[in-house]
Amino acid sequence: MNFVAPTSFPETLGPNALKGVKVLFINMPIREQARPNNPPVGPALLAGRLREYGAEPNIVDLNIYRIQDEEAARRGLEFGRSLTFAEARALLARTLDKIGPQHVIGMSGLITTLTWQTEVAKIIRDLDPDAMLASGGGLATQFRTTLFDWIPELDAVSHSEGDDVILKMALDAKTIRDLGFDRAEKSGRLAPYFHDTKNGRPRFFYQGYRTADLDALPWPAYDLLKEDVDGLPVMEIYLNTPVWGGSAKNSSATSFDMPRSISTISSRGCPFACKFCFRGGQGERNYGVRSAQNIADEFLHYRDCYGVEFIALLDDNFMVSPKRITELADILEPYARDGKLQWGTHGRLDEAADLRPDRNGGYKKADVRRVDEMARAGCVYIGFGAESASARTLDAMGKGGFMLSNGITKINGYEFPLTMVEGIRNTYASGIHGNCTWIMGYPGETLPDLQTSIAFIRWQEEEISRGLTPGSAEHTKALASINKALFTATAYPGTEMFQAPKVMASLGEVFGLTFDAKTKQPVADENYRKYVLELNDASKLIANSDGRPLNYSDMPDDQFVEVRSMLDAGKLDEVLSL
């Protein structure tokens, strides 16, 4: 299906075009082992967009719930368990009893939410059979029309960016409700997204695209998360849960606390092409940004409205544009100077290093470093996707070009990319805490490659605690602020890594996946679905029912499992000594 974005849409919509249209977004549970730390920004953005045209959106956030009971204790879930499907059904029934039947019910979630979306679809089809049931976000973007086979209750699948296409979806649902499907289809008003009919129901395939002006979009409608149908203060729970840091129980360690925080996004897409990364739901490599003024206005709004002390920008890569960073610093510096407006984001170590290769084979430093300007704007945290400190592995990941362009430096007997070293040093020198995330077991990685990454973690500890008295409270806190967890290399569909020969072979041997010889795309059979059901956020080692692990590295399976166990136990030095 060739897609051409409707050139007159949504410009032709009047402010009341969707008046009376009811849309419910359901955010799926993720990472049961951690506290829910980010309000569902995607559904909140779409809800704000719908309200501009008179629609009545609501959000049910199934991820906020963590139940403390005997079952949670038995499973060792420190923060409690997620809802059961029966509990989720009861909650959704109470919600629909309150807000009434919906025109559209949209399920949102990452690829790891297939199980939940499958079950919730059955629940919704029973509770509100006339609603257009749609799936959007990461899962829908990665699998597209395949979801119709895996979740047969779906009426619509929407991939990529949904800011404009959500309006068309709501308008289509209204048209069908007003005219009936036959008249609506014959009128041509359901074009271009009407896909087909099955079992007497129309199915739609919505293809999202970038809205013309990101600044023109409303900010997330977080007010819709004030409380759930039972009075649970959903937004307050998020505000009082650190986005990052040790207490958040994620891979983003910090040297400071963030007792009251909120998150949003300032850009879409990422111009880089790391082979393990899928960015389809937020613009792929089509990088687009909001203006510095628009971001600053949102920051100040959250400070005044919610009393937050920290704002997290969840961008894949905030640091691409030095000009925007300086503009933001010029606006926010007066507010940041007293330390009451702090924020953090994600970037790349080559951007933090700000080195430029010269004609003589060396490099020169930027006159104004991005990290210094970010610090001037109040930034106190940058998350870096370092992934590996091995030049060989970085090349395999598609990260070698920028990271290795300035050569190698030898520290403590290990060879590290100079760019990574300078990026960390610059970040610390600016007063910003730099957190690195890591991947073990990437295709072709050897034990020495992995040991190089671990050695870099140990060097970070040395660097951040330089000048501190060993054993002091400050020294202990500094060491604790260095992330020592490593993700397991996970092959997500839609990534270049997924099509690597070694990955395809392993997926075939361990999970029985088969691939089209020409396209290298997996056959969407039951084995493929079972594999997707095993996916999570790369915090676990995936194995089949016989216990055989998915191991893409050049380490033997026994050693791979042993090393993974050591890392899970925090025994980094034991891995270094192998």
Side-chain angles (χ1 to χ4, degrees):
M1 181 186 296
N2 294 322
F3 168 67
V4 178
T7 56
S8 62
F9 195 86
E11 291 78 4
T12 55
L13 286 183
N16 294 311
L18 299 178
K19 186 175 181 180
V21 176
K22 294 184 176 183
V23 180
L24 175 64
F25 295 101
I26 305 174
N27 186 52
M28 300 298 156
I30 57 171
R31 301 191 70 242
E32 189 178 29
Q33 73 276 17
R35 300 168 70 185
N37 62 328
N38 283 304
V41 62
L45 282 167
L46 299 186
R49 186 70 162 142
L50 285 164
R51 286 202 298 204
E52 290 187 305
Y53 296 89
E56 302 170 22
N58 281 282
I59 301 173
V60 170
D61 181 19
L62 296 179
N63 188 48
I64 194 64
Y65 303 98
R66 294 294 184 273
I67 312 301
Q68 293 283 3
D69 61 6
E70 292 182 1
E71 173 65 13
R74 183 187 68 79
R75 295 169 56 197
L77 295 170
E78 178 183 355
F79 302 111
R81 62 170 176 82
S82 296
L83 297 178
T84 64
F85 295 138
E87 290 167 338
R89 179 191 174 90
L91 174 71
L92 290 167
R94 293 194 299 275
T95 301
L96 289 168
D97 283 344
K98 179 179 179 180
I99 66 177
Q102 302 293 293
H103 288 76
V104 178
I105 296 181
M107 301 186 297
S108 175
L110 302 171
I111 188 175
T112 58
T113 64
L114 177 58
T115 297
W116 265 98
Q117 291 204 36
T118 301
E119 295 301 318
V120 169
K122 298 173 185 175
I123 292 169
I124 292 301
R125 185 54 68 222
D126 183 44
L127 295 178
D128 196 350
D130 294 328
M132 176 190 284
L133 179 59
S135 177
L139 179 70
T141 298
Q142 285 177 295
F143 295 109
R144 307 195 179 195
T145 54
T146 297
L147 281 189
F148 285 131
D149 297 323
W150 290 353
I151 311 178
E153 294 80 8
L154 286 176
D155 297 310
V157 172
S158 179
H159 75 74
S160 302
E161 297 173 82
D163 306 283
D164 286 345
V165 82
I166 187 62
L167 305 177
K168 184 64 166 67
M169 186 184 300
L171 190 63
D172 286 347
K174 181 180 186 298
T175 301
I176 293 173
R177 190 72 59 91
D178 291 346
L179 302 180
F181 169 67
D182 288 339
R183 287 179 60 199
E185 198 274 329
K186 289 178 182 177
S187 73
R189 291 161 63 181
L190 301 183
Y193 302 112
F194 171 59
H195 186 62
D196 60 13
T197 58
K198 188 169 185 179
N199 299 324
R201 297 185 69 103
R203 298 196 301 187
F204 294 81
F205 180 46
Y206 291 96
Q207 304 187 54
Y209 52 94
R210 174 69 49 78
T211 193
D213 180 6
L214 292 178
D215 277 3
L217 295 175
W219 299 330
Y222 284 147
D223 59 292
L224 294 176
L225 294 165
K226 182 178 180 180
E227 61 183 26
D228 73 356
V229 66
D230 301 317
L232 181 75
V234 174
M235 195 62 195
E236 272 299 307
I237 294 173
Y238 278 120
L239 291 169
N240 289 291
T241 302
V243 176
W244 296 312
S247 61
K249 295 296 182 180
N250 53 35
S251 60
S252 302
T254 64
S255 55
F256 54 90
D257 297 322
M258 47 186 77
R260 195 167 176 83
S261 59
I262 197 170
S263 52
T264 186
I265 56 175
S266 82
S267 66
R268 305 285 181 90
C270 178
F272 301 99
C274 301
K275 296 180 180 180
F276 53 83
C277 187
F278 180 80
R279 289 292 177 261
Q282 287 296 333
E284 302 181 14
R285 294 186 69 184
N286 179 21
Y287 188 66
V289 301
R290 293 165 52 200
S291 70
Q293 186 65 61
N294 192 256
I295 299 165
D297 289 344
E298 187 180 9
F299 279 14
L300 296 173
H301 167 72
Y302 291 148
R303 183 197 64 172
D304 298 339
C305 181
Y306 293 116
V308 296
E309 301 174 25
F310 183 87
I311 299 165
L313 292 175
L314 305 178
D315 303 34
D316 290 331
N317 191 346
F318 170 85
M319 298 173 64
V320 172
S321 171
K323 179 177 180 289
R324 187 175 67 139
I325 292 171
T326 294
E327 290 171 349
L328 188 64
D330 290 340
I331 299 168
L332 289 182
E333 185 176 18
Y335 303 98
R337 200 173 290 136
D338 61 6
K340 293 183 179 180
L341 184 63
Q342 297 184 326
W343 56 280
T345 189
H346 300 110
R348 289 169 54 106
L349 282 169
D350 58 296
E351 295 161 339
D354 261 332
L355 301 177
R356 305 288 186 273
D358 61 26
R359 295 178 180 179
N360 300 318
Y363 61 87
K364 61 180 180 179
K365 299 182 179 181
D367 294 332
V368 179
R369 296 187 302 201
R370 275 175 266 206
V371 289
D372 293 333
E373 292 293 88
M374 291 171 69
R376 185 163 68 90
C379 180
V380 295
Y381 172 94
I382 303 175
F384 296 113
E387 320 309 359
S388 176
S390 159
R392 205 174 70 87
T393 303
L394 287 170
D395 257 338
M397 290 177 167
K399 295 177 69 77
F402 288 97
M403 293 300 171
L404 302 178
S405 61
N406 296 300
I408 299 295
T409 184
K410 197 165 187 176
I411 300 176
N412 297 333
Y414 290 88
E415 293 185 341
F416 302 143
L418 178 64
T419 296
M420 293 179 64
V421 170
E422 289 298 308
I424 289 295
R425 283 175 172 163
N426 287 350
T427 304
Y428 291 165
S430 73
I432 297 174
H433 177 71
N435 179 78
C436 291
T437 52
W438 305 94
I439 295 174
M440 68 87 67
Y442 197 77
E445 184 180 61
T446 64
L447 179 60
D449 291 325
L450 175 60
Q451 289 171 325
T452 301
S453 296
I454 295 172
F456 193 93
I457 294 172
R458 290 306 191 208
W459 170 78
Q460 276 185 276
E461 292 178 314
E462 295 174 10
E463 198 71 13
I464 202 170
S465 60
R466 194 177 302 279
L468 299 178
T469 303
S472 66
E474 293 82 0
H475 184 258
T476 300
K477 187 175 183 179
L479 294 181
S481 72
I482 300 300
N483 176 44
K484 304 172 187 66
L486 287 85
F487 291 117
T488 303
T490 301
Y492 292 106
T495 64
E496 190 172 343
M497 173 187 169
F498 194 80
Q499 297 182 326
K502 187 161 189 175
V503 171
M504 293 170 64
S506 186
L507 289 170
E509 293 169 5
V510 179
F511 274 88
L513 270 64
T514 56
F515 294 82
D516 183 277
K518 292 182 179 180
T519 66
K520 296 186 179 180
Q521 295 300 316
V523 176
D525 57 13
E526 182 62 14
N527 287 337
Y528 186 35
R529 191 184 74 87
K530 287 181 179 178
Y531 169 70
V532 175
L533 291 173
E534 287 293 322
L535 294 174
N536 70 351
D537 62 355
S539 60
K540 75 171 185 178
L541 187 154
I542 297 176
N544 66 9
S545 57
D546 296 328
R548 182 176 175 182
L550 279 175
N551 172 22
Y552 312 122
S553 75
D554 279 359
M555 291 178 274
D557 282 356
D558 289 348
Q559 186 181 63
F560 176 74
V561 172
E562 178 188 18
V563 168
R564 181 68 264 178
S565 178
M566 289 179 178
L567 294 175
D568 290 341
K571 299 177 180 179
L572 274 66
D573 290 333
E574 290 190 19
V575 178
L576 283 176
S577 66
L578 289 175

